Amino acid sequence: MKSSSEAQPTATNARRDTILDAAIREFGQRGYRKTSIEDLASAAQISKQGLYLHFAGKNEVFVAAMQKYLTDGLTLVDEALGRTDQPLSKRLAAAMDAWFGRHLVTFTPSAFDVIEAGDQLSSKEVEKVKLAFQQRIVKALASAPEFVDVPSNRSPQDVAQVLFLCGLTWKDGKPTPQEFSRRVRLCVRVCCHLEE
């Protein structure tokens, strides 16, 4: 049985995750500039003072929330690519949807200042996670007979980069999640020469 001192970090981490999940929703709906520390506390159902027990201020909440959002995204990508009972095209499309498609649900067009704020506050972390996403796609492609056995002049790195660029269209033209998913499936088929 754990002592109360051993159980406390888990409770603190769980509370912190709850705050961050609420912050992701708030920043996603309101944007960075329009979200106040009061909004964040209210969304997490704690007092402002309670929020300050975990974070020094709005910027710290924002950076931690975006890091969690990106890390959670990589976990979803790993799950999608790990479904080896499915064809590569479906796994890649699911990974793209897990990484980019969820932005359509999380962020409203008026909240896109979150992207700009994220680049300013933690651009090295954002770049590191973007690279981690692309590396996962490269690994999936390089290990899939459906891709490797098709003669072509494209490398897994080139295809991963093109898929990433395709994924960035999630914010172009305000596509629905269904429309974005259709775009991604088409891009995967064309780039990888795969059937659906």
Side-chain angles (χ1 to χ4, degrees):
M1 189 167 180
K2 291 185 179 182
S3 69
S4 62
S5 63
E6 289 177 36
Q8 188 172 2
T10 303
T12 300
N13 290 343
R15 187 62 179 144
R16 184 177 164 89
D17 282 350
T18 299
I19 294 168
L20 294 177
D21 287 338
I24 291 166
R25 288 189 301 275
E26 281 300 298
F27 287 123
Q29 293 302 304
R30 297 174 183 267
Y32 176 76
R33 285 188 287 275
K34 291 182 181 177
T35 301
S36 68
I37 201 75
E38 290 83 4
D39 295 329
L40 296 170
S42 176
Q45 299 180 345
I46 59 173
S47 67
K48 208 163 92 169
Q49 294 76 13
L51 186 73
Y52 283 124
L53 289 174
H54 297 277
F55 299 97
K58 176 180 165 178
N59 287 352
E60 189 174 313
V61 174
F62 177 75
V63 169
M66 292 303 106
Q67 286 172 337
K68 182 179 187 315
Y69 182 74
L70 294 172
T71 301
D72 289 351
L74 287 177
T75 299
L76 294 171
V77 168
D78 289 339
E79 289 171 6
L81 293 174
R83 295 184 191 120
T84 55
D85 60 322
Q86 294 186 351
L88 178 62
S89 63
K90 288 189 182 215
R91 291 186 290 136
L92 289 171
M96 295 284 290
D97 195 47
W99 185 253
F100 293 106
R102 70 191 183 116
H103 302 338
L104 293 166
V105 176
T106 304
F107 300 108
T108 63
S110 63
F112 283 178
D113 71 326
V114 167
I115 297 165
E116 184 181 300
D119 287 343
Q120 291 175 8
L121 294 172
S122 58
S123 61
K124 286 182 184 177
E125 280 298 312
V126 170
E127 288 307 313
K128 190 169 110 178
V129 179
K130 286 179 184 177
L131 181 60
F133 168 77
Q134 289 184 56
Q135 288 170 338
R136 282 164 167 79
I137 299 296
V138 167
K139 184 178 176 185
L141 290 166
S143 64
E146 302 124 292
F147 180 79
V148 176
D149 293 345
V150 175
S152 75
N153 61 356
R154 71 213 188 295
S155 71
Q157 292 81 6
D158 290 342
V159 172
Q161 185 176 21
V162 171
L163 291 176
F164 185 83
L165 293 172
C166 173
L168 292 176
T169 67
W170 73 269
K171 53 189 182 253
D172 294 340
K174 301 177 187 173
T176 64
Q178 295 78 15
E179 173 60 21
F180 178 76
S181 182
R182 189 195 65 72
R183 285 183 198 172
V184 165
R185 289 192 314 273
L186 176 61
C187 186
V188 166
R189 287 196 324 269
V190 170
C191 289
C192 301
H193 302 219
L194 299 170
E195 294 299 318
E196 228 178 356

